[in-house]
């Protein structure tokens, strides 16, 4: 299979935060499976587990970092080594792609408290990722909060991918998220964040009338296109359990198609 963007040279490293302060909306699944789609197509993808819950580290069944080289220690300045030392390999693909991971560490739970006391605290992740190496896409799995850790992600990335659920509460959550994005744009960034769009995740089928109504409302949000719909299905939980991505666990599934399309959107944005 050819690379999604053959020979693309990217101006800087394309980095995307998968973000929504609402919990359980499919952020971690989106990161894992979009990255898997990039690797399956021959690209090099790096995923960063910025969530102290460590769900991405668990989903990909890589070891938690135990130090001294951990993302947590890099964020707080307790470790000042080279960024590639934080990276572990998950898999390589027949197409020549690779999926690498910056796993979580237990100390991530105290990072936000430490960062709150520090100067230039919102730029710590950006500095770490500047030394990450050569990737077609870096995807950051954000925690379900709008704290200093998420501000670090919003400051470090080029664009945002926002998983949402087809629920009424999603609309209010989005307003809150977008106002935080506007604040970070105004105070912390030189260039505005690019909003790639939303992914409706964990969508039950058949669609209820309520879910259909919310999806229609989401589809009409200005500046935030609805890029895809991922149905609720056991194949996603099975892949997680096996430490695989949908691209290898169920390459012919409709889920694989959606994640490939999302991968193409991200890669085209940086081409
Ligand atoms: N399409 C799907 N079908 C079935 N289960 C799914 C699907 N997508 C995600 N899940 C499962 O739903 C749960 C929540 O998904 P996920 O962890 O990706 O959400 P999240 O937004 O990252 O959650 P958190 O806010 O806690 O970090 C997980 O157990 C995941 O395995
Ligand atoms: Mg998560």
């Amino acid at each position: 299979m050819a690379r999604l963007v053959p020979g693309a040279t990217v101006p800087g490293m394309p980095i995307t935060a998968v973000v929504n302060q609402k919990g359980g909306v499919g952020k971690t699944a989106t990161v894992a499976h979009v990255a898997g789609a990039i690797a399956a197509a021959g690209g090099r993808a790096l995923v960063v587990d910025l969530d102290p819950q460590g769900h991405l580290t668990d989903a990909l069944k890589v070891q938690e970092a135990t130090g001294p080289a951990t993302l947590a220690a890099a964020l707080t300045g307790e470790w000042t080594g080279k960024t590639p030392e934080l990276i572990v390999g998950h898999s390589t693909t027949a197409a020549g792609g690779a999926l690498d991971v910056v796993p979580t560490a237990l100390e991530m739970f105290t990072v936000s408290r430490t960062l709150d006391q520090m100067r230039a605290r919102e730029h710590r992740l950006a500095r770490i990722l500047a030394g990450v190496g050569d990737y077609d896409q870096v995807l950051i799995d954000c925690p379900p909060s709008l704290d200093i850790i998420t501000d670090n992600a919003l400051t470090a990335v080029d664009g945002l991918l926002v998983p949402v659920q087809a629920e009424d509460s999603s609309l209010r959550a989005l307003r809150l998220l977008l106002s935080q994005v506007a604040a970070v744009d105004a105070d912390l960034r030189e260039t505005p964040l690019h909003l790639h769009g939303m992914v409706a995740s964990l969508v039950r089928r058949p669609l209820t009338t309520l879910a259909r109504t919310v999806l229609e409302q989401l589809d009409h949000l200005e500046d935030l296109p609805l890029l895809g719909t991922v149905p609720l299905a056991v194949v996603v939980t099975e892949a997680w359990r096996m430490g695989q991505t949908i691209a290898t666990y169920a390459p012919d599934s409709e889920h694989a198609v959606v994640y490939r399309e999302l991968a193409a959107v991200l890669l085209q944005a940086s081409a």
Side-chain angles (χ1 to χ4, degrees):
M1 203 185 298
R3 286 165 74 103
L4 286 175
V5 185
T9 48
V10 286
M13 188 73 55
I15 311 178
T16 301
V18 179
V19 64
N20 191 336
Q21 77 282 358
K22 193 164 146 62
V25 296
K27 294 180 289 292
T28 302
T30 303
V31 168
H33 302 313
V34 170
I38 291 169
R44 286 173 53 77
L46 174 70
V47 295
V48 179
D49 193 351
L50 200 58
D51 183 355
Q53 297 180 107
H55 289 168
L56 180 66
T57 303
D58 177 59
L60 295 173
K61 301 289 177 269
V62 293
Q63 292 269 320
E64 277 194 21
T66 50
T70 69
L71 178 58
L75 284 165
T76 58
E78 282 161 49
W79 178 81
T80 54
K82 300 243 183 298
T83 305
E85 291 179 48
L86 301 173
I87 299 173
V88 297
H90 173 271
S91 51
T92 54
T93 65
L99 172 54
D100 292 347
V101 188
V102 175
T104 195
L106 204 57
E107 314 87 75
M108 273 303 281
F109 275 107
T110 56
V111 162
S112 59
R113 223 179 305 151
T114 311
L115 285 182
D116 279 335
Q117 317 293 326
M118 296 174 75
R119 292 168 62 186
R121 52 186 167 261
E122 294 92 354
H123 298 278
R124 314 279 314 179
L125 182 65
R127 284 204 208 117
I128 294 166
L129 293 182
V132 91
D134 182 25
Y135 287 95
D136 293 293
Q137 183 70 222
V138 180
L139 287 150
I140 300 179
D141 188 21
C142 292
S145 60
L146 287 177
D147 65 0
I148 184 66
I149 293 184
T150 300
D151 277 353
N152 262 268
L154 297 180
T155 306
V157 303
D158 308 295
L160 302 183
L161 196 56
V162 184
V164 290
Q165 279 184 281
E167 294 172 354
D168 272 333
S169 58
S170 301
L171 295 161
R172 184 172 188 280
L174 271 178
R175 279 200 295 275
L176 197 59
L177 175 62
L178 292 176
S179 84
Q180 182 76 358
V181 167
V184 169
D185 269 348
D187 296 344
L188 298 170
R189 292 182 57 90
E190 283 167 19
T191 54
L193 270 164
H194 179 66
L195 304 174
H196 292 295
M198 291 173 288
V199 192
S201 296
L202 297 126
V203 176
R204 267 178 214 286
R205 284 199 303 217
L207 274 183
T208 61
T209 309
L210 174 67
R212 183 172 291 112
T213 307
V214 175
L215 284 177
E216 279 166 12
Q217 286 173 313
L218 291 172
D219 207 11
H220 286 92
L221 283 184
E222 216 176 315
D223 299 333
L224 201 59
L226 186 55
L227 300 172
T229 299
V230 184
L232 189 79
V234 74
V235 73
V236 177
T237 34
E238 283 173 358
W240 185 308
R241 193 143 202 241
M242 303 300 290
Q244 290 191 40
T245 72
I246 292 289
T248 56
Y249 186 75
D252 300 322
S253 63
E254 61 179 307
H255 292 76
V257 173
V258 180
Y259 289 120
R260 269 202 296 275
E261 288 169 358
L262 292 170
V265 168
L266 297 190
L267 293 175
Q268 274 157 19
S270 59

